[in-house]
Amino acid sequence: MARTDEPASHEQQFREAATRLGVGRRRFLTVTSAAAALAFTTNLPGAHAADAELAPRTLTEDPFTLGIASGDALTDAVVIWTRLAPRPLEPGHGLPPAGVVRVDWEVARDEHFRKVVRRGTARAHAEFGYTVHVDVDGLDADRVHWYRFRVGAWVSPVGRTRTSPARGRNIERVRFGLVSCQAYEDGYFTAYKHLANEDLDAVFHVGDYIYEYGIDAAGGDRRYTDRTLPAVFGHETTTLEDYRLRYALYKADPDLQAAHAAFAWYVTWDDHEVENNYAAGIPEKGQSPEAFVARRAAATRAYWENMPLRMPRPDASDLKLYRRHHYGRLAQFDILDTRQYRSDQANGDGWQFPSPESEDPGRTLMGAAQERWLLDGFRKSRAVWNVVPQQVVFSRRKNTTDARSRLSMDAWDGYPAARERLLAGAEDIGVENLVVLTGDVHVAYAMDVKRNFDDPDSRTVGVEIVGTSIASDGDGAEKPANWATLTAANPHLKFYDGRRGYTAITLDEEHARADYRVVSHITRPGGTVSTAASFVSEAYNPGMQRA
């Protein structure tokens, strides 16, 4: 029952719609809004009156090959997710190109489902890649719940999730994982196997869930000898079917499935979910406006389909991933999107010397609306810790000890005016206990956020925890080749490690603690986990110190 015409039909619909919108002729406000409009107005459920309901008995193979997930937990609700894919690595995933499947779900207070508190039936539509997103409400606050799905005789794995505590409640502590950057072809997801065994309340994924590059038949550096990946993975992702297949490949990984099943996730994207280093409506590679809008629409649709996210509002002009979550009165989490709304990278991107272009005060990384939203959230915050999960390195990173140094144009260093607006706004508001969470760079850093990075003696106004990659860049090394230079050039950089892994972060009333967990190797199975270092920052006295 595999689909053979789906990639062409979706691609054609997106391209034709992009042309009608006239993106290249400025009839639409931005590529971002155009891409979202296409992603969530094209080929929706109900568009085909003849869509047939598939009888469960027609599913002769396990449809839950991609596991389950939960996310965006609130005090009384959580999104639970699954995707039906009897043959996950085939185009069409073993299901017909049109149709709908009824999927039963239930949520319980115990893992044996003796105390079911919510149950219902969802519909998995072909138009949404047979994914299921259920926003389960009416749940008790600050409580572990278990969930599962059923189609006929097939039952999904059991997932564990947790609702948040009431916003004003005093909480003793929260512990969560920070993860990012999981290039499948660079090695095994061993870090997720170990993450799943941690005692955590939630996981924050800050981008690069998939990579768009082609993957060879041996799975790149995984060097498979027991399987051969289909040729459909050998080219870069550009169409909806490409992106759907890429998510299926990643989600078929048992270690990633285990981590999703263990915790509620809060996700945001970076660049590789679409294309390396794109900036708002500007692609890295030369493409027509219509072609890039179609590609972004496909990537946006596939991202939402495959993440435990709520459905965008019908009138949404984008897939708004910047959002706020509270964890009692202990922490406020302001999740950012530094990719959809940014100005183009200055000076041709890469590592460049600062210039009038990069220092232009009009440049933005978040866009004006998101900047206002963030500062407004700071102003209203009553939390002990103000935590900002986001994508790219916030603190200054010089790559030489010379007085004048090249900086990364893709990171906040390439947008210094935007960083200054954020720091000045936080200072005016009186924000305390600022913790920035970052991914992107495939290494781990512990950094002090300085009020003036040009003056090493200036006040420390927060800390930045940069989590290393799950897999991107292979095994890595404890001290990368530039370790000595980078640590000497940046006195606010307190720790630097280049191995793969994740970060376990604990917040309580007195400290923020980061345990940098690293894996011995990922280019072959069986890597062990250890703690490379632990750092703490005191509440109301920011600065990274070894624990």
Side-chain angles (χ1 to χ4, degrees):
M1 293 187 292
R3 280 176 283 192
T4 57
D5 61 339
E6 194 68 5
S9 63
H10 275 297
E11 179 73 0
Q12 183 178 357
Q13 288 181 61
F14 282 145
R15 282 180 176 269
E16 289 177 352
T19 300
R20 288 196 301 273
L21 289 172
V23 175
R25 295 182 296 276
R26 296 174 180 252
R27 291 183 189 169
F28 217 89
L29 180 61
T30 65
V31 169
T32 291
S33 55
L38 296 187
F40 297 108
T41 61
T42 303
N43 197 28
L44 300 181
H48 307 292
D51 281 1
E53 184 171 316
L54 305 180
R57 66 176 180 275
T58 64
L59 298 178
T60 59
E61 300 171 88
D62 181 7
F64 296 112
T65 58
L66 303 181
I68 43 82
S70 70
D72 271 16
L74 306 176
T75 57
D76 62 346
V78 66
V79 177
I80 60 173
W81 172 96
T82 194
R83 177 180 169 192
L84 308 183
R87 301 175 197 165
L89 304 189
E90 295 181 6
H93 314 285
L95 291 169
V100 62
V101 179
R102 289 183 177 269
V103 181
D104 297 324
W105 57 267
E106 53 187 354
V107 176
R109 291 182 177 177
D110 67 297
E111 58 187 319
H112 302 293
F113 290 83
R114 297 190 184 100
K115 299 178 181 178
V116 174
V117 294
R118 300 283 282 145
R119 58 163 48 99
T121 300
R123 293 163 65 87
H125 295 270
E127 291 87 350
F128 284 149
Y130 291 98
T131 58
V132 174
H133 302 71
V134 182
D135 190 0
V136 184
D137 59 9
L139 302 177
D140 291 339
D142 195 19
R143 189 182 185 105
V144 172
H145 295 82
W146 284 263
Y147 62 97
R148 65 186 176 188
F149 301 88
R150 184 190 303 270
V151 175
W154 298 103
V155 181
S156 76
V158 173
R160 177 186 179 276
T161 192
R162 184 174 193 132
T163 50
S164 301
R167 182 172 176 180
R169 183 180 169 192
N170 290 324
I171 300 299
E172 185 175 315
R173 72 157 209 173
V174 59
R175 192 165 191 258
F176 55 91
L178 172 64
V179 298
S180 65
C181 303
Q182 50 199 54
Y184 185 96
E185 62 271 28
D186 284 359
Y188 290 88
F189 293 164
T190 310
Y192 278 135
K193 178 181 179 180
H194 296 293
L195 179 78
N197 294 320
E198 296 273 2
D199 177 18
L200 304 175
D201 297 295
V203 169
F204 286 83
H205 195 295
V206 292
D208 295 345
Y209 190 99
I210 63 166
Y211 280 67
E212 75 275 27
Y213 309 125
I215 304 173
D216 65 28
D221 286 342
R222 294 188 176 209
R223 300 183 183 91
Y224 288 142
T225 59
D226 61 342
R227 74 198 79 172
T228 300
L229 294 186
V232 292
F233 298 105
H235 63 267
E236 188 164 316
T237 55
T238 58
T239 69
L240 180 57
E241 191 64 50
D242 289 340
Y243 286 108
R244 283 174 170 172
L245 280 163
R246 193 60 55 92
Y247 281 104
L249 177 65
Y250 279 55
K251 284 182 170 290
D253 184 277
D255 295 332
L256 178 56
Q257 288 191 19
H260 270 300
F263 314 109
W265 285 38
Y266 298 87
V267 301
T268 187
W269 57 19
D270 195 14
D271 52 341
H272 289 287
E273 288 86 355
V274 179
E275 178 191 51
N276 179 59
N277 278 20
Y278 84 92
I282 303 170
E284 180 193 41
K285 303 180 179 71
Q287 300 168 57
S288 70
E290 289 82 5
F292 190 57
V293 165
R295 182 177 187 175
R296 276 202 55 187
T300 299
R301 175 83 158 252
Y303 184 81
W304 175 81
E305 287 178 351
N306 286 281
M307 294 294 116
L309 291 166
R310 292 175 173 85
M311 182 70 182
R313 300 188 323 274
D315 61 343
S317 62
D318 56 15
L319 179 58
K320 193 171 85 169
L321 290 174
Y322 66 88
R323 58 206 190 278
R324 181 168 294 122
H325 290 278
H326 302 275
Y327 201 86
R329 65 171 300 275
L330 184 61
Q332 174 174 297
F333 294 93
D334 291 307
I335 302 169
L336 302 188
D337 178 350
T338 62
R339 190 57 60 177
Q340 282 199 90
Y341 315 105
R342 64 161 62 196
S343 305
D344 193 13
Q345 292 91 342
N347 306 323
D349 203 357
W351 285 74
Q352 309 291 346
F353 290 111
S355 70
E357 181 185 357
S358 66
E359 296 178 345
D360 182 342
R363 288 170 49 74
T364 182
L365 198 62
M366 295 189 289
Q370 188 176 185
E371 285 189 18
R372 289 192 300 270
W373 168 87
L374 178 60
L375 293 179
D376 184 59
F378 283 166
R379 189 173 294 108
K380 296 176 181 177
S381 175
R382 299 297 178 266
V384 175
W385 297 98
N386 292 284
V387 186
V388 182
Q390 54 95 52
Q391 293 76 18
V392 294
V393 174
F394 184 80
S395 301
R396 171 76 58 82
R397 276 184 310 155
K398 297 170 59 177
N399 68 355
T400 173
T401 54
D402 295 342
R404 186 168 182 259
S405 175
R406 296 179 188 272
L407 304 172
S408 171
M409 295 296 103
D410 189 58
W412 286 83
D413 276 341
Y415 302 79
R419 180 170 57 199
E420 173 58 24
R421 287 194 296 272
L422 192 160
L423 291 176
E427 183 177 47
D428 290 344
I429 293 164
V431 171
E432 295 183 291
N433 302 329
L434 175 66
V435 178
V436 180
L437 307 181
T438 302
D440 183 57
V441 288
H442 314 164
V443 297
Y445 298 139
M447 309 178 88
D448 290 345
V449 177
K450 308 299 288 186
R451 183 61 188 88
N452 179 4
F453 286 103
D454 291 325
D455 178 8
D457 296 323
S458 73
R459 188 164 61 93
T460 296
V461 296
V463 295
E464 181 173 12
I465 300 168
V466 179
T468 190
S469 60
I470 291 291
S472 302
D473 281 348
D475 290 331
E478 181 178 359
K479 292 186 176 182
N482 67 346
W483 185 91
T485 300
L486 216 64
T487 53
N490 300 283
H492 54 280
L493 173 60
K494 307 301 182 181
F495 173 71
Y496 175 17
D497 191 293
R499 290 170 287 185
R500 306 288 72 77
Y502 56 91
T503 311
I505 300 166
T506 305
L507 305 177
D508 60 30
E509 292 277 351
E510 297 180 349
H511 299 93
R513 177 186 176 109
D515 295 312
Y516 293 91
R517 305 279 279 162
V518 295
V519 177
S520 58
H521 55 267
I522 64 160
T523 52
R524 62 188 189 280
T528 58
V529 69
S530 62
T531 300
S534 296
F535 279 77
V536 297
S537 178
E538 293 181 12
Y540 309 104
N541 184 28
M544 284 297 206
Q545 304 289 334
R546 279 195 179 265

